[in-house]
Amino acid sequence: MQDLAFYFPGILLAYSTFLLAIASPGPNILAVIGTSMGVGRPSGIALALGVASGSFTWALLTLFGLSAVLATYASVLLLIKIFGGIYLLWLAFKFFKSAASLHDIEAKELSGARLRPVGYFKRGYMIQMTNPKAALAWIAIISLGLQDGAPFSVGIAIVAGTFLMSIAIHVLYAVAFSTPIMVRLYGKSRRVIQGILGTFFALAGLRLLASRS
């Protein structure tokens, strides 16, 4: 517990980055929204749980992979943080670009035959697992919470906490956006929200690049 308390600021930053990363609808979230609107809330929730499970898998793979590398080459942490910081700055650019765009979000039902809820769960899982950007995002998120000499329990805390948040946020999208009015309401405040998110990711990226431990 003392270890977690000492590393809590980094863990909290990792949580905040993850939470804000899924606060603005991307392709996965739009798939959840479109399925809820076009097929029904249960199917949207099933797809959401599949996406969250895929995110959890990427988190575990990243954690164990980074831990194995750092156990052998501790100096690699600096390179990982540089890479993660650059990726966060790229995300900030994407959010600023999206905020400047006049195009509203487009939530569409996934193509293909309609499935049972378990089928949508599998589809959501595969959508997330075949997304190469997920791996890049998790490298950035976990490296935010890891410092030189951090115990493995810190990584476990990051993965466990973000998994719970992932389930809550994705299911919330499936429930709340099962009606078109919610999409329209979000569209009205989209540019302000994405501008705020861009600012956060820019600051987080700069912080990671400035970190030396």
Side-chain angles (χ1 to χ4, degrees), residues 18-191:
F18 176 79
L19 184 62
L20 293 178
I22 60 176
S24 182
N28 295 338
I29 293 295
L30 293 179
V32 171
I33 295 174
T35 300
S36 291
M37 292 176 57
V39 184
R41 187 174 294 175
S43 297
I45 291 175
L47 186 72
L49 292 175
V51 171
S53 297
S55 181
F56 177 66
T57 302
W58 273 119
L60 285 177
L61 291 173
T62 305
L63 174 62
F64 283 102
L66 288 181
S67 297
V69 171
L70 294 178
T72 306
Y73 308 102
S75 60
V76 174
L77 180 59
L78 178 59
L79 294 177
I80 292 174
K81 287 190 173 184
I82 292 175
F83 179 82
I86 292 174
Y87 179 72
L88 289 175
L89 291 178
W90 180 81
L91 283 181
F93 168 76
K94 295 288 288 185
F95 276 116
F96 286 137
K97 182 179 179 181
S98 181
S101 173
L102 298 178
H103 295 291
D104 206 346
I105 62 174
E106 298 180 358
K108 298 180 181 179
E109 179 184 344
L110 292 174
S111 60
R114 294 192 175 186
L115 308 169
R116 293 182 179 181
V118 66
Y120 281 103
F121 175 88
K122 293 178 180 178
R123 184 175 291 187
Y125 184 80
M126 291 305 299
I127 287 174
Q128 187 69 359
M129 289 305 299
T130 55
N131 180 12
K133 293 181 180 179
L136 300 178
W138 274 110
I139 289 175
I141 290 169
I142 291 183
S143 61
L144 277 171
L146 291 180
Q147 300 178 32
D148 189 17
F152 190 70
S153 58
V154 172
I156 293 296
I158 294 174
V159 171
T162 52
F163 180 47
L164 294 177
M165 285 190 289
S166 182
I167 292 176
I169 297 299
H170 284 96
V171 171
L172 178 62
Y173 270 117
V175 173
F177 285 83
S178 57
T179 57
I181 188 172
M182 289 301 298
V183 177
R184 291 196 295 269
L185 288 175
Y186 178 86
K188 292 181 179 179
S189 57
R190 173 189 62 82
R191 300 179 71 180

